[in-house]
Amino acid sequence: MTLTDPAEILSALIRCPSVTPDEGGALETLDGFLAQLGFSVERPVFGEEGTPDIENLYGRLGHDGPHLMFAGHTDVVPPGDLSGWSRNPFGAEVADGMLYGRGAVDMKGGIACFLAALARTLKERGALPGSVSFLITGDEEGPAVNGTVKLLEHAAAKGETWDAALVGEPTNPNELGDMIKVGRRGSLSAKLTVDGTQGHVAYPHLADNPLRIATALAAALLDPPLDAGNERFPASNLELTSIDTGNEATNVIPGSAVVKFNIRFNDGWTAQTLSSEIERRLKNAADQLPGRENRGPARYAISFQERPSPSFLTHDEALIGTLSDAVRAVTGRMPELSTTGGTSDARFIKDYCPVVEFGLVGQTMHMADERVALSDLETLTDIYQRFIADWFAAQGQSGQ
């Protein structure tokens, strides 16, 4: 195994069937690679009632100086129906310049490229003028309860501190160099339950149709828009994901209705202020429902998810600039600084140090025949290598 070759590293990781929550040998394999470079590695396991135990990895090279964290995950989503794959999802087969396999871009590829970049840096320059750590979980594609958030707490409790972090998620929509993620929208899910009175559709005066209430309340959630967005974030967006009564009959008015929805929100909101706004809109809409004189107030309840994801924006211009310059130097493109997309484990890391995200092109992530171009692996490794060198150089110049 050549640790300067990202394709070899990635192939070894893909062959580990690490579907959440199974470790699948991926962390064991990465542990071995890091040990070859002189890392000290620990593999804590975290658990919580109602969730699977998760194995994690924290490795550090160096003891002093500026400390750069690389963060990511080795767990992958299931391959799904194997008939949709042209190749074994855990076979790491190469064809026409593409390396196939589950996790190729999300995100074993990013791990492989950073490891190869670090190995090349050590080979060319010797010891680093500081420290590098790998903070890798097996729980990012799962509930994200026993992974990064607890691994950060564990490491910090042992005295670990970091100056900056890079998450290797696949951030580029079309080509390497398109996009750096400098923040993320928050995510808040909720369930609205409306109680009515079951009855015959031919005698609606004897029933209380909860769908009439539920649709009116849902409309109040959607209009007016929550906000118009700002310089770095798009407008917050509420999407209805389900309206259900559990009623399959066409001649029965249901007794209850459940509306589920998710909000992706910008940094103009917190989960708390957003929850309050939702509750306000529901109350106003319920108070204005017509035809309630003989039925009394609308009966409804709203419940919010226990662990909403916060929005955040990284303000470390030196970190962002160093990565942007490295991307431009290798690809010739100046990346867009974005906060789009879903959530990531960067939402936990931002509480400990400035964090940015940059990785492979994500077009095939979670799809059948997930794959990455071998040329992209080389390009990303070159970007990471330049970023490592330039980030430490900048830390030295700033006197840190």
Side-chain angles (χ1 to χ4, degrees):
M1 171 62 66
T2 305
L3 292 185
T4 54
D5 184 345
E8 286 193 29
I9 299 171
L10 177 55
S11 295
L13 292 174
I14 286 175
R15 293 188 183 106
C16 301
S18 52
V19 176
T20 314
D22 295 330
E23 185 270 334
L27 292 178
E28 181 70 19
T29 299
L30 182 59
D31 187 337
F33 294 157
L34 293 175
Q36 291 182 51
L37 295 180
F39 276 76
S40 59
V41 179
E42 60 175 323
R43 304 250 296 275
V45 177
F46 303 117
E48 189 169 308
E49 185 177 355
T51 62
D53 289 348
I54 296 295
E55 188 171 347
N56 301 273
L57 180 148
Y58 183 75
R60 177 165 178 167
L61 178 67
H63 303 283
D64 304 308
H67 188 178
L68 175 64
M69 176 206 300
F70 177 82
H73 62 94
T74 54
D75 63 314
V76 298
V77 297
D81 185 357
L82 297 184
S83 67
W85 288 77
S86 65
R87 289 164 176 81
N88 180 352
F90 301 109
E93 297 180 39
V94 175
D96 300 322
M98 307 293 290
L99 176 55
Y100 288 75
R102 179 57 85 222
V105 294
D106 189 14
M107 60 153 277
K108 292 178 177 179
I111 294 173
C113 290
F114 194 86
L115 182 58
L118 184 60
R120 293 178 185 183
T121 300
L122 295 172
K123 182 177 180 180
E124 294 173 8
R125 304 191 177 200
L128 294 170
S131 302
V132 170
S133 59
F134 274 67
L135 189 140
I136 309 295
T137 185
D139 191 31
E140 198 273 348
E141 300 289 7
V145 171
N146 297 317
T148 296
V149 62
K150 289 183 179 176
L151 186 55
L152 285 163
E153 293 170 353
H154 171 81
K158 298 181 69 173
E160 292 290 286
T161 60
W162 305 272
D163 296 293
L166 171 63
V167 180
E169 290 283 2
T171 58
N172 293 281
N174 297 302
E175 295 182 89
L176 274 175
D178 283 346
M179 184 177 291
I180 295 172
K181 295 290 178 71
V182 296
R184 290 279 187 164
R185 294 178 297 172
S187 176
L188 176 66
S189 294
K191 180 174 74 172
L192 170 65
T193 303
V194 179
D195 290 325
T197 302
Q198 190 181 56
H200 196 296
V201 295
Y203 303 93
H205 60 288
L206 299 177
D208 187 6
N209 194 332
L211 281 172
R212 293 179 180 270
I213 304 170
T215 53
L217 297 185
L221 296 178
L222 293 168
D223 186 44
L226 290 166
D227 57 64
N230 56 42
E231 180 182 359
R232 282 287 173 87
F233 283 91
S236 300
N237 183 59
L238 186 151
E239 285 293 332
L240 303 177
T241 58
S242 174
I243 300 179
D244 184 48
T245 64
N247 177 30
E248 297 183 359
T250 59
N251 61 348
V252 176
I253 293 173
S256 64
V258 174
V259 180
K260 295 180 181 179
F261 59 93
N262 176 267
I263 308 170
R264 297 302 167 105
F265 59 94
N266 59 41
D267 60 348
W269 301 93
T270 66
Q272 291 73 29
T273 60
L274 191 55
S275 298
S276 296
E277 172 65 11
I278 294 303
E279 291 171 342
R280 184 193 68 79
R281 291 189 179 204
L282 291 174
K283 183 179 186 305
N284 287 347
D287 289 344
Q288 296 172 25
L289 287 170
R292 300 299 305 175
E293 295 81 4
N294 298 323
R295 292 187 169 93
R299 294 172 290 154
Y300 70 90
I302 182 74
S303 61
F304 298 96
Q305 72 183 90
E306 292 185 2
R307 296 183 176 90
S309 300
S311 63
F312 74 92
L313 182 66
T314 295
H315 297 281
D316 189 324
E317 297 304 323
L319 171 62
I320 296 169
T322 301
L323 181 56
S324 297
D325 290 345
V327 172
R328 181 172 58 177
V330 174
T331 68
R333 291 187 291 277
M334 177 56 76
E336 175 188 355
L337 304 181
S338 174
T339 58
T340 58
T343 60
S344 78
D345 280 356
R347 69 188 188 273
F348 305 125
I349 298 168
K350 57 89 176 174
D351 293 329
Y352 294 83
C353 65
V355 56
V356 290
E357 301 175 62
F358 185 76
L360 291 163
V361 175
Q363 289 185 348
T364 64
M365 59 181 175
H366 292 204
M367 295 175 61
D369 277 350
E370 183 177 351
R371 58 198 179 274
V372 61
L374 296 177
S375 58
D376 278 0
L377 293 177
E378 277 298 319
T379 300
L380 183 58
T381 300
D382 289 343
I383 292 170
Y384 281 166
Q385 185 175 0
R386 187 177 185 101
F387 169 71
I388 292 169
D390 291 352
W391 185 82
F392 278 108
Q395 299 302 298
Q397 292 169 6
S398 65
Q400 294 187 15

